[in-house]
Amino acid sequence: MGIIIKDLGLLINAMLIATPPLLLAALGSCFSERSGVVNIGIEGMMTIGAFVGSVVAYYTGNGWFGFFCGGLAGAAFGVLHAVACVSFGADQTISGTAVNFIAPGLAIFLCKAMFDNSSDSPALETASKLPKMFNGIFPAGSFGYNVLSTYSAAYLSFLLVLVIWFVFYKTRFGMRLRAVGEHPKACETLGINVFRIRYICVILSGFLAGLGGAYVTLATVSQFRPNVIVGQGFIAISAVIFGKFTPQGTLKACLLFGFCNGLKSLLGANNIVSPYLISMIPYVVTILALIFFVGKSRVPAANGKPYLKAK
């Protein structure tokens, strides 16, 4: 019985570690998608956020500052995506694909330039990473320690779901955001600045994606590597579709995918199944979720359509 409880605690702990980066990136995608702009550049924004977050934390020794700077790096690419898609009406899929090529390439180039031609950044010391909550309150290895003594940023990401739900459905900005995604021309006739709202949302999506990437290097792997994100940005986008473009639905989807990542970590540590089969779990579940649920998700009406202000 004790072994089962311990394994359950480890599984929940692994899920709580794997879910926040997906959740942060997915919440950012919610902003962009609901405003009517497709952002498939989440993967690239997470990668540049992961690099900047680890490097800033390495040089400053402050995990929270690195976390914030990772978000700013993602926001910078959000600005580029917004300029291309909102101001110039470029194809949003092509622009997002360009971000997915440019951001990781820039991260690897800067990493090699800064760290003696190495594509990996130096490993972070514990003091330079994001802090954990409730450390020392529960005995090490206990169920309470495994479940509750996780990173502070993880709790922040779950709290953010409530904040974004309130913004979407209980504020004037949220009402305008959703209206801009559905009927941008009607909003323009009412005096709503469609360009400004879409700019804000796309930049926010980049900022949150950058935070998600920084979480990976500041909490999970402790350094930047070229394959550190490994498709998490695309899983986050899938979570948004699976969650029907709502913060609460996205949370449920991210918990499912986070559980699959946690299961992968737990099974991999016990060597029960081939590691190659185990590594497929999150991606297989993502594909199955899209197959069975994407048809039931209602995409915002103006999503993906370029909008140019009437002259």
Side-chain angles (χ1 to χ4, degrees), residues 42-57 65-75 77 103-104 107 206-218 224 228-229:
I42 295 292
E43 178 88 3
M45 294 171 183
M46 288 185 74
T47 304
I48 195 67
F51 168 73
V52 172
S54 64
V55 169
V56 171
F65 185 58
F67 187 60
F68 179 72
C69 288
L72 291 181
F77 276 88
F207 180 75
L208 290 173
L211 291 182
Y215 180 93
V216 174
T217 51
L218 295 175
F224 172 80
V228 72
I229 300 302

Side-chain angles (χ1 to χ4, degrees), residues 61-206:
N62 190 317
W64 281 116
F65 185 58
F67 187 60
F68 179 72
C69 288
L72 291 181
F77 276 88
V79 172
L80 293 178
H81 187 55
V83 169
C85 299
V86 180
S87 294
F88 294 103
D91 187 286
Q92 296 170 8
T93 302
I94 293 176
S95 176
T97 302
V99 170
N100 284 335
F101 280 109
I102 295 172
L106 178 63
I108 295 173
F109 171 78
L110 292 176
C111 192
K112 288 188 174 185
M114 296 172 67
F115 300 113
D116 195 24
N117 207 32
S118 173
S119 58
D120 298 351
S121 67
L124 296 173
E125 298 179 356
T126 303
S128 300
K129 297 173 63 176
L130 289 171
K132 286 187 175 183
M133 291 186 69
F134 307 116
N135 258 355
I137 297 178
F138 302 96
S142 67
F143 181 83
Y145 177 85
N146 289 334
V147 174
L148 297 176
S149 296
T150 189
Y151 294 94
S152 304
Y155 290 100
L156 179 64
S157 66
F158 291 117
L159 179 62
L160 200 58
V161 176
L162 180 61
V163 173
I164 292 177
W165 175 87
F166 183 83
V167 170
F168 270 30
Y169 301 108
K170 300 297 180 180
T171 66
R172 178 181 295 180
F173 174 78
M175 180 186 66
R176 292 183 174 184
L177 184 160
R178 289 180 287 122
V180 162
E182 296 284 351
H183 304 288
K185 292 183 178 179
C187 290
E188 183 185 344
T189 61
L190 295 174
I192 298 174
N193 192 324
V194 176
F195 276 23
R196 181 172 62 190
I197 290 178
R198 287 190 169 180
Y199 257 92
I200 291 172
C201 290
V202 175
I203 294 171
L204 274 175
S205 75

